[in-house]
Amino acid sequence: MPDQRCTACGGRGGTEKVEYTYETDQNGNTVAKEHRYYGPCTSCGGSGRIA
């Protein structure tokens, strides 16, 4: 069976990741923050293909 396109990332090799943290602002208040970044797909390791 030949390699197939990764269904998790659609063959792009990467996916958008979201990380949530709590940080303290300049007034000492705790604020929830959302950090988004693009990283390698965890299903195919960034190749865009699965065996």
Side-chain angles (χ1 to χ4, degrees):
M1 185 168 159
D3 287 352
Q4 296 182 3
R5 185 173 67 172
C6 178
T7 55
C9 68
R12 291 183 308 273
T15 56
E16 182 180 38
K17 314 288 186 196
V18 182
E19 182 179 88
Y20 299 96
T21 61
Y22 289 98
E23 301 174 9
T24 304
D25 66 12
Q26 66 247 23
N27 298 322
N29 299 314
T30 302
V31 181
K33 295 281 187 168
E34 179 180 278
H35 304 277
R36 293 180 174 267
Y37 61 97
Y38 191 82
C41 176
T42 54
S43 295
C44 67
S47 69
R49 311 294 290 169
I50 55 173

